[in-house]
Amino acid sequence: MIRSLPNTTAYTITYRIYVGLFFLFLVIPLIAISVLAFNDSNYIALPWNGFTLDWFFSATDEREGLFADSNLLESINTSLTTALIVATMSTVIGTIAALLFEEEQFRLKGLLYFLALTPLVIPGVILGISILLSSTYAGNLIEKNFGVDIELFRPSYWLVIFGQFSFGATYVMLLVAARLKKFDRSLEEAALSLKATRVQAIWYITIPFLRPAIIGAFIVAFLLSFSNINTTIFLVGSDPTLPIDLYSRIRFSSTPVLNAISFLIVLIITLFALVNFFIKRKSDD
Amino acid sequence: MSNILEIKNLTKKFGDFTAVEDVNFSVKDGGFFSILGSSGCGKSTLLRIIAGFEPETEGEVIIRGESMKGVPPEKRPVNIVFQHLALFPMMNVRENVAFGLKRLKLSNTEIDSRVNEMLSRVGLEGYEKKDVTALSGGQKQRVAIARSLVMKPSILLLDEPLGALDRKLREHMKVELKLLQREIGTTFIYITHDQSEALVMSDEIAVMHEGRFEQIDTPRNLYKNPKTAFVAGFVGDSNRFELSRTEGDTLITNKGWSINKKSSMAEPKVLYIRPEALIINPSEGLTDVETFGITIKTILFDGSNTKLATTVTGTTEELLISLPQNAEFDGLSEGQTLQVGVHINDLKCY
Amino acid sequence: MSQNAKLQNTLQTTKPKNSFNVTLYLLIIPVLLWLVLLIVLPHLDLLVSSFEIENDDGEMVFSLANYIAFFKEEIYWLTFVKTAAYAIGVTALAFIITFPVAFYLTKVISKKNAAFFILLLLIPLWVGELVTVYGWMVLLGDHGIINHFLMAIGIVDEPINMLYTDFSMIIGLLYMSMLFMVVPVMSTLESLDDSLIEAASDLGASKWTIFRTIIIPYSMPGIVSGAIIVFMLVIGDYLAPNILGGKSSLWFTEQIYNKFLTTFNWNEGAAFGFLLLMLSSGIIWLALKFSGQKLDRVGS
Ligand SMILES: Nc1ncnc2c1ncn2[C@@H]1O[C@H](COP(=O)(O)OP(=O)(O)OP(=O)(O)O)[C@@H](O)[C@H]1O
Ligand SMILES: [Mg+2]
């Protein structure tokens, strides 16, 4: 059953086949889209017509490759900047929240902590419509009273950022708090005893200790933002993020350029995961 | 010399649990004051109140005549060396020692000179750039002390700073620490559960038990004249006998041993005799020395700390006797009977 | 207490008492802004909006009409019930499919070998739902890769209709959510001491008994965490039902989407949203209650 207990061969082989099938199930859609990104065909389907890089580089009317498609490049750019801003905001606020809930005592702490956790269990769609409703309400109120139309309150770039940040901060908080639980409180007390103020103690001692978790949380928040669609779809304005752009293309006008961009995402994530894997392995040795 | 620290009626409660109960003491400027007690008796709690990490429930901490009520830790003229040192792992030796000085916004030249001076004082010159995680136990210890001392605190609080070291190193550091304190003259308040540390280093020792101070005294007095049964049992080794009754000047133990003492105390309950207070084969004619016979059960060899485990002849009372390691007693063997004497002042009754 | 000492005491309480409070405010204000502006107020607004309709004069008035519409129209509450039932089913499937894998990676093969497979697990998670849903679309379509191979080998003559059915929708939902079951289950299994299993086996327990009496109870916290996340993701998912599901596989989030972005009936949409929120939090609450687990354990 486990490493140290003997098993029948049939059991071992069946088990291995099962796990093998599971991983096949896991990678097959990624392989399928990647392969079709290089198929010399105008349709996203087999048969294999030979290898081409048209869906990346071609700039003809018939085949507009990924790097010639200004709309697509634009939405990639939007997604990247959005994800950077969201990750930064989430990391700052999420870390502050982790410090607050792990280190301070105050009234209503339990309630606030509960609220901070709720984005874990609120479906992203609901977060999206709630923020859409309330920001529209606020926008209308301001317009009626002051006669100004603030773009932030309409579906827009910044509304997407706030929507994604609203749950990103929760994930950062949990990741940072997990490391903070391992923090030796006497280090902070030592800093206080050495005449640091509390803010200095946090800045010079606690934050450096948390650095690995903070970096990890930043990456998680970035990826959450980059791939989000459930919340974004309700808040997006005139500049779509990449997932929104791809979504409308899948629904209305699929070409293999979708495979090209998907392949790029898979490639980058895989490379990133491999680098992470080898760094980890090295530090373990 | 004036009192640098005064503690008045200090009490600390955690909910219903009283960790520190009505503690009073004062420490002279430049003194080495130890608080000795077993694990969990409230030593760290007391120290943390003085440092300002825990608010007191009742009472007052006064440093240099100023009440510390409501003063946060970073504003108190004290520094603390933690039980597990709490060196900053993300900084090297120099950065650890310079940390506090930087918070005081001193000039770089002043910081450099003070750090260098302190590092050479604790014998760590040349280690400035080393990672603190790469140091040996004794070196870490020195960094922790240097880091606090460089702040020139009025009082240095040390919470079992040698607890993490092995025995040999502890013996060594104990002497070094004492010399360092003499040299720089800072007041030390030193917590330990190791009585030998307290006895060797301190000017004064407080024995703490279940949140209370049992006795505050010099090491010699504490050892020679323990005021309570707890102190007698806790400080140094002792033979302990339950007393069933007294007849005039004669103390009678539960197991039927009787011994004379000019007792001033009415109805004592227990009798303590230190193993080293017993004289083997006392010469005739000593005054105030009670003599009696014992039978050797076994010899517990432990170098300079060797003892005889014996029974008092004619009773079942057991008695440990220190055995000096000189040629005179080399011939002793199990089953042998001997005469032993004890000075009546060394019979401690409570 | 002497007069002097009393005076001293009052002076001390007015001193800058300690810097702890400053830190507290510094930390609590941004957190409060986040929670109040982006969590509390929007959801209050959701609740309020769901009880409002526009009257003939264009004013918002209190009404139960939005909820009545939900119960009156069969398609709405049928979709609601179906979404809930499917989400529970997918959660159960995700557990059944992934548990042996989680066990294999933590207990059967060595840590070093497992590291590579764990890496494989993470890639689809990070790639994002859209790309993987698209992958399944490419695989399952009538002209998709699977049908192409089936016909090439000659197993079938006509393409099998897989895409735009409940089947393809469930595949998509499973695929995007099941890895959230693996991760927490693996972390509890990792802490399970092998010697417990060895001891049970030594005492003559069969594999099935060990599994039932030791492994499952021990990993329950991880299973509950995983199940809650999977359920929440599935019930609130929009892409898999929308892209992979057929016309008949309506999902409740699609109803909400239609209310907001197609028919622009936001108030009814708000009511639907609120119902979905109640459904998901209700089931999660039940799961937490029966397992005796805390919400923050779910996130870790
Ligand atoms: N924050 C706290 N809340 C509740 N009880 C506490 C707290 N801090 C300490 N105690 C209790 O107070 C008692 C004294 O603790 P303290 O740490 O002062 O002991 P100590 O003498 O330093 O022991 P040791 O030698 O093991 O360090 C213990 O019983 C401990 O459980
Ligand atoms: Mg302690």
Coordinates of all heavy atoms in Angstrom, one line a residue, chain A residues 60-120:
Chain A
T60 N -0.7 38.6 -43.1 CA -1.6 38.7 -44.2 C -3.0 38.8 -43.7 O -3.3 38.6 -42.5 CB -1.5 37.5 -45.2 OG1 -1.8 36.4 -44.4 CG2 -0.1 37.3 -45.7
D61 N -3.9 39.2 -44.6 CA -5.3 39.4 -44.2 C -5.9 38.0 -43.8 O -6.7 37.9 -42.9 CB -6.1 40.0 -45.4 CG -6.0 41.5 -45.3 OD1 -5.5 42.0 -44.3 OD2 -6.5 42.1 -46.3
E62 N -5.5 37.0 -44.6 CA -6.0 35.7 -44.4 C -5.6 35.1 -43.1 O -6.3 34.5 -42.3 CB -5.7 34.8 -45.6 CG -6.5 33.5 -45.6 CD -5.8 32.4 -46.5 OE1 -4.7 32.7 -47.0 OE2 -6.4 31.4 -46.5
R63 N -4.3 35.3 -42.8 CA -3.7 34.7 -41.6 C -3.0 35.9 -40.8 O -1.9 36.3 -41.1 CB -2.7 33.6 -41.9 CG -3.3 32.4 -42.4 CD -2.3 31.3 -42.5 NE -2.9 30.1 -43.0 CZ -2.3 28.9 -43.1 NH1 -1.0 28.8 -42.9 NH2 -3.0 27.9 -43.6
E64 N -3.7 36.3 -39.8 CA -3.1 37.4 -39.0 C -2.5 36.8 -37.7 O -3.3 36.3 -36.8 CB -4.2 38.4 -38.6 CG -3.6 39.7 -38.0 CD -4.6 40.8 -37.8 OE1 -5.7 40.4 -37.4 OE2 -4.3 41.9 -38.1
G65 N -1.2 36.7 -37.7 CA -0.5 36.0 -36.6 C -0.6 36.8 -35.3 O -0.9 38.0 -35.3
L66 N -0.3 36.2 -34.2 CA -0.3 36.8 -32.9 C 0.4 38.1 -32.8 O -0.1 39.1 -32.3 CB 0.2 35.8 -31.9 CG 0.8 36.2 -30.6 CD1 -0.3 36.8 -29.7 CD2 1.3 35.0 -29.9
F67 N 1.7 38.1 -33.4 CA 2.5 39.3 -33.3 C 2.1 40.4 -34.3 O 2.7 41.5 -34.3 CB 3.9 39.0 -33.3 CG 4.4 38.2 -32.2 CD1 4.7 36.8 -32.3 CD2 4.5 38.7 -30.9 CE1 5.0 36.0 -31.2 CE2 4.8 38.0 -29.8 CZ 5.1 36.6 -30.0
A68 N 1.1 40.1 -35.2 CA 0.7 41.1 -36.1 C -0.7 41.6 -35.7 O -1.2 42.6 -36.3 CB 0.6 40.5 -37.5
D69 N -1.3 41.0 -34.7 CA -2.7 41.4 -34.3 C -2.6 42.4 -33.2 O -2.4 42.1 -32.0 CB -3.3 40.1 -33.8 CG -4.8 40.3 -33.5 OD1 -5.2 41.4 -33.2 OD2 -5.5 39.3 -33.6
S70 N -2.8 43.6 -33.6 CA -2.6 44.7 -32.6 C -3.6 44.7 -31.5 O -3.3 45.0 -30.4 CB -2.7 46.1 -33.3 OG -3.9 46.2 -34.0
N71 N -4.9 44.2 -31.8 CA -5.9 44.1 -30.7 C -5.4 43.1 -29.7 O -5.5 43.4 -28.5 CB -7.2 43.6 -31.3 CG -7.9 44.7 -32.1 OD1 -7.6 45.9 -31.9 ND2 -8.7 44.3 -33.0
L72 N -4.9 42.0 -30.1 CA -4.4 41.0 -29.2 C -3.3 41.5 -28.4 O -3.2 41.3 -27.2 CB -4.0 39.7 -30.0 CG -4.0 38.4 -29.2 CD1 -5.3 38.2 -28.5 CD2 -3.7 37.2 -30.2
L73 N -2.3 42.1 -29.1 CA -1.2 42.7 -28.3 C -1.6 43.7 -27.3 O -1.1 43.7 -26.2 CB -0.2 43.3 -29.3 CG 0.5 42.3 -30.2 CD1 1.4 43.0 -31.2 CD2 1.3 41.3 -29.4
E74 N -2.6 44.5 -27.7 CA -3.1 45.5 -26.8 C -3.7 44.8 -25.6 O -3.5 45.3 -24.4 CB -4.2 46.3 -27.6 CG -4.7 47.5 -26.8 CD -3.6 48.4 -26.4 OE1 -2.6 48.6 -27.1 OE2 -3.7 49.0 -25.3
S75 N -4.5 43.7 -25.8 CA -5.1 43.1 -24.6 C -4.1 42.4 -23.7 O -4.3 42.3 -22.5 CB -6.3 42.2 -25.0 OG -5.8 41.1 -25.8
I76 N -3.0 41.9 -24.4 CA -2.0 41.3 -23.6 C -1.4 42.4 -22.7 O -1.2 42.2 -21.5 CB -0.9 40.7 -24.4 CG1 -1.4 39.4 -25.2 CG2 0.4 40.3 -23.6 CD1 -0.5 38.8 -26.2
N77 N -1.1 43.5 -23.3 CA -0.5 44.6 -22.5 C -1.5 45.0 -21.4 O -1.0 45.2 -20.2 CB -0.3 45.8 -23.5 CG 0.4 46.9 -22.8 OD1 1.2 46.7 -21.9 ND2 0.0 48.2 -23.2
T78 N -2.8 45.1 -21.7 CA -3.7 45.5 -20.6 C -3.7 44.5 -19.5 O -3.6 44.8 -18.3 CB -5.2 45.5 -21.2 OG1 -5.2 46.3 -22.3 CG2 -6.2 46.0 -20.2
S79 N -3.6 43.2 -19.8 CA -3.6 42.2 -18.8 C -2.4 42.2 -18.0 O -2.4 42.1 -16.7 CB -3.7 40.8 -19.4 OG -5.1 40.4 -19.5
L80 N -1.2 42.5 -18.6 CA 0.0 42.5 -17.9 C 0.0 43.7 -16.9 O 0.4 43.5 -15.7 CB 1.2 42.6 -18.8 CG 1.6 41.3 -19.6 CD1 2.7 41.6 -20.6 CD2 2.0 40.2 -18.6
T81 N -0.4 44.9 -17.4 CA -0.3 46.0 -16.5 C -1.3 45.8 -15.4 O -1.1 46.1 -14.2 CB -0.5 47.3 -17.2 OG1 -1.8 47.2 -17.9 CG2 0.6 47.7 -18.2
T82 N -2.5 45.4 -15.7 CA -3.5 45.1 -14.7 C -3.0 44.2 -13.6 O -3.1 44.4 -12.4 CB -4.8 44.5 -15.3 OG1 -5.3 45.3 -16.4 CG2 -5.9 44.3 -14.3
A83 N -2.4 43.1 -14.1 CA -1.9 42.1 -13.2 C -0.8 42.6 -12.3 O -0.8 42.3 -11.1 CB -1.4 40.8 -13.9
L84 N 0.0 43.5 -12.8 CA 1.1 44.1 -12.0 C 0.5 45.0 -10.9 O 0.9 44.9 -9.8 CB 2.0 44.9 -12.9 CG 3.2 44.2 -13.5 CD1 4.0 45.1 -14.3 CD2 4.1 43.6 -12.4
I85 N -0.5 45.8 -11.3 CA -1.1 46.7 -10.4 C -1.8 45.9 -9.3 O -1.7 46.2 -8.1 CB -2.0 47.7 -11.1 CG1 -1.1 48.6 -12.0 CG2 -2.7 48.6 -10.0 CD1 -2.0 49.5 -12.9
V86 N -2.6 45.0 -9.8 CA -3.4 44.2 -8.8 C -2.5 43.4 -7.8 O -2.7 43.4 -6.6 CB -4.3 43.2 -9.5 CG1 -4.9 42.2 -8.6 CG2 -5.4 43.9 -10.3
A87 N -1.4 42.8 -8.4 CA -0.5 42.1 -7.5 C 0.1 43.0 -6.5 O 0.3 42.6 -5.3 CB 0.5 41.3 -8.4
T88 N 0.5 44.2 -6.9 CA 1.2 45.1 -6.0 C 0.2 45.5 -4.9 O 0.5 45.4 -3.7 CB 1.7 46.4 -6.8 OG1 2.4 45.9 -7.9 CG2 2.5 47.2 -5.9
M89 N -1.0 45.9 -5.3 CA -2.0 46.3 -4.3 C -2.3 45.2 -3.4 O -2.4 45.4 -2.1 CB -3.3 46.8 -5.0 CG -3.1 48.2 -5.6 SD -4.6 48.6 -6.7 CE -5.9 48.5 -5.5
S90 N -2.6 44.0 -3.9 CA -3.0 42.9 -3.1 C -1.8 42.5 -2.1 O -2.1 42.2 -1.0 CB -3.2 41.7 -4.0 OG -4.2 41.9 -4.9
T91 N -0.6 42.6 -2.6 CA 0.5 42.3 -1.7 C 0.6 43.2 -0.6 O 0.8 42.8 0.6 CB 1.8 42.2 -2.6 OG1 1.6 41.3 -3.7 CG2 3.0 41.7 -1.7
V92 N 0.5 44.5 -0.9 CA 0.6 45.5 0.2 C -0.5 45.3 1.2 O -0.2 45.1 2.4 CB 0.6 46.9 -0.4 CG1 0.5 48.0 0.7 CG2 1.9 47.2 -1.2
I93 N -1.7 45.3 0.7 CA -2.8 45.3 1.7 C -2.9 43.9 2.3 O -3.2 43.8 3.5 CB -4.2 45.6 0.9 CG1 -4.1 47.0 0.3 CG2 -5.3 45.5 1.9 CD1 -3.9 48.1 1.3
G94 N -2.7 42.8 1.6 CA -2.8 41.5 2.1 C -1.7 41.3 3.2 O -2.0 40.7 4.3
T95 N -0.5 41.8 3.0 CA 0.5 41.7 4.0 C 0.1 42.5 5.3 O 0.3 42.1 6.4 CB 1.9 42.2 3.5 OG1 2.2 41.5 2.3 CG2 3.0 42.1 4.5
I96 N -0.4 43.7 5.0 CA -0.8 44.5 6.2 C -1.9 43.8 7.0 O -1.9 43.7 8.2 CB -1.4 45.9 5.7 CG1 -0.2 46.8 5.2 CG2 -2.1 46.6 6.8 CD1 -0.6 48.1 4.6
A97 N -2.8 43.2 6.2 CA -3.9 42.4 6.9 C -3.3 41.3 7.7 O -3.8 41.0 8.8 CB -4.9 41.9 5.9
A98 N -2.4 40.6 7.1 CA -1.8 39.4 7.8 C -1.1 39.9 9.1 O -1.3 39.3 10.2 CB -0.7 38.7 7.0
L99 N -0.4 41.0 9.1 CA 0.2 41.6 10.3 C -0.9 42.0 11.3 O -0.7 41.7 12.5 CB 1.1 42.8 9.9 CG 2.4 42.6 9.2 CD1 2.9 43.9 8.6 CD2 3.4 41.9 10.1
L100 N -1.9 42.6 10.8 CA -3.0 43.1 11.7 C -3.6 41.9 12.4 O -3.7 41.9 13.6 CB -4.0 43.8 10.8 CG -5.3 44.3 11.6 CD1 -4.9 45.4 12.5 CD2 -6.4 44.7 10.6
F101 N -4.0 40.9 11.7 CA -4.7 39.8 12.3 C -3.8 38.9 13.1 O -4.2 38.2 14.1 CB -5.5 38.9 11.3 CG -6.6 39.7 10.7 CD1 -6.7 39.9 9.3 CD2 -7.6 40.3 11.5 CE1 -7.7 40.7 8.8 CE2 -8.6 41.0 10.9 CZ -8.7 41.2 9.6
E102 N -2.5 38.8 12.8 CA -1.6 37.9 13.6 C -1.0 38.6 14.8 O -0.7 38.0 15.8 CB -0.4 37.4 12.7 CG -0.8 36.4 11.7 CD -1.3 35.1 12.3 OE1 -0.6 34.6 13.3 OE2 -2.3 34.5 11.9
E103 N -0.9 39.9 14.7 CA -0.1 40.6 15.8 C -0.9 41.5 16.7 O -0.4 41.8 17.8 CB 1.0 41.4 15.1 CG 2.0 40.6 14.3 CD 3.4 40.9 14.6 OE1 3.7 42.0 14.7 OE2 4.2 39.9 14.6
E104 N -2.0 42.0 16.2 CA -2.7 43.0 17.0 C -3.9 42.4 17.7 O -4.5 41.5 17.2 CB -3.1 44.2 16.1 CG -2.0 44.9 15.4 CD -1.1 45.7 16.4 OE1 -1.6 46.1 17.5 OE2 0.1 45.9 16.1
Q105 N -4.3 43.0 18.8 CA -5.6 42.7 19.4 C -6.5 43.9 19.4 O -6.0 45.0 19.7 CB -5.3 42.3 20.9 CG -4.4 41.1 21.1 CD -5.0 39.8 20.4 OE1 -6.2 39.7 20.2 NE2 -4.0 39.0 19.9
F106 N -7.7 43.7 18.9 CA -8.6 44.8 18.9 C -10.1 44.3 18.9 O -10.3 43.1 18.7 CB -8.4 45.8 17.7 CG -8.3 45.0 16.4 CD1 -9.5 44.9 15.6 CD2 -7.2 44.4 15.9 CE1 -9.5 44.2 14.4 CE2 -7.2 43.7 14.7 CZ -8.3 43.6 14.0
R107 N -11.0 45.2 19.2 CA -12.4 44.8 19.2 C -12.8 44.5 17.8 O -12.3 45.0 16.8 CB -13.2 46.0 19.8 CG -13.2 46.0 21.3 CD -13.9 47.2 21.8 NE -15.3 47.2 21.4 CZ -16.1 48.3 21.2 NH1 -15.5 49.4 21.5 NH2 -17.3 48.2 20.9
L108 N -13.8 43.6 17.7 CA -14.4 43.2 16.4 C -13.3 42.5 15.5 O -13.5 42.4 14.3 CB -15.0 44.4 15.6 CG -16.1 45.0 16.3 CD1 -16.6 46.2 15.5 CD2 -17.2 44.1 16.6
K109 N -12.2 42.0 16.1 CA -11.2 41.4 15.3 C -11.8 40.1 14.6 O -11.5 39.9 13.4 CB -10.1 40.9 16.2 CG -9.0 40.2 15.5 CD -7.8 40.0 16.4 CE -6.8 39.0 15.8 NZ -5.6 38.8 16.6
G110 N -12.6 39.4 15.3 CA -13.1 38.1 14.7 C -14.0 38.4 13.5 O -13.9 37.8 12.5
L111 N -14.8 39.5 13.6 CA -15.7 39.8 12.5 C -14.9 40.3 11.3 O -15.2 39.8 10.2 CB -16.7 40.9 13.0 CG -17.6 41.5 11.9 CD1 -18.6 40.5 11.5 CD2 -18.2 42.8 12.2
L112 N -13.9 41.1 11.5 CA -13.1 41.6 10.4 C -12.4 40.5 9.7 O -12.3 40.4 8.5 CB -12.1 42.7 10.9 CG -12.5 44.1 11.0 CD1 -11.3 45.0 11.1 CD2 -13.4 44.5 9.9
Y113 N -11.8 39.6 10.6 CA -11.1 38.4 10.0 C -12.0 37.6 9.1 O -11.7 37.2 8.0 CB -10.5 37.6 11.1 CG -9.6 36.5 10.6 CD1 -8.5 36.8 9.8 CD2 -9.8 35.2 11.0 CE1 -7.7 35.8 9.3 CE2 -9.0 34.2 10.6 CZ -7.9 34.5 9.7 OH -7.1 33.5 9.3
F114 N -13.2 37.4 9.6 CA -14.2 36.6 8.9 C -14.5 37.3 7.5 O -14.5 36.7 6.5 CB -15.5 36.5 9.7 CG -16.6 35.9 8.9 CD1 -16.7 34.5 8.7 CD2 -17.6 36.7 8.3 CE1 -17.8 34.0 7.9 CE2 -18.7 36.2 7.6 CZ -18.7 34.8 7.4
L115 N -14.7 38.6 7.6 CA -14.9 39.4 6.3 C -13.7 39.2 5.3 O -13.9 39.1 4.1 CB -15.1 40.9 6.6 CG -16.5 41.2 7.2 CD1 -16.6 42.7 7.5 CD2 -17.6 40.9 6.2
A116 N -12.5 39.3 5.9 CA -11.4 39.2 5.0 C -11.3 37.8 4.4 O -10.7 37.7 3.3 CB -10.1 39.5 5.8
L117 N -11.9 36.8 5.0 CA -11.8 35.5 4.4 C -12.9 35.2 3.4 O -12.8 34.3 2.6 CB -11.9 34.4 5.5 CG -10.7 34.3 6.5 CD1 -11.1 33.3 7.6 CD2 -9.5 33.8 5.7
T118 N -14.0 36.0 3.5 CA -15.2 35.7 2.7 C -14.9 35.6 1.2 O -15.5 34.7 0.5 CB -16.3 36.7 2.9 OG1 -15.8 38.0 2.8 CG2 -17.0 36.5 4.2
P119 N -13.9 36.4 0.6 CA -13.7 36.2 -0.8 C -13.3 34.8 -1.2 O -13.5 34.4 -2.4 CB -12.6 37.2 -1.1 CG -12.8 38.2 -0.1 CD -13.2 37.5 1.1
L120 N -12.9 34.0 -0.3 CA -12.6 32.6 -0.6 C -13.8 31.8 -1.0 O -13.7 30.9 -1.7 CB -12.0 31.9 0.7 CG -10.6 32.0 1.1 CD1 -10.3 31.2 2.3 CD2 -9.7 31.6 -0.1

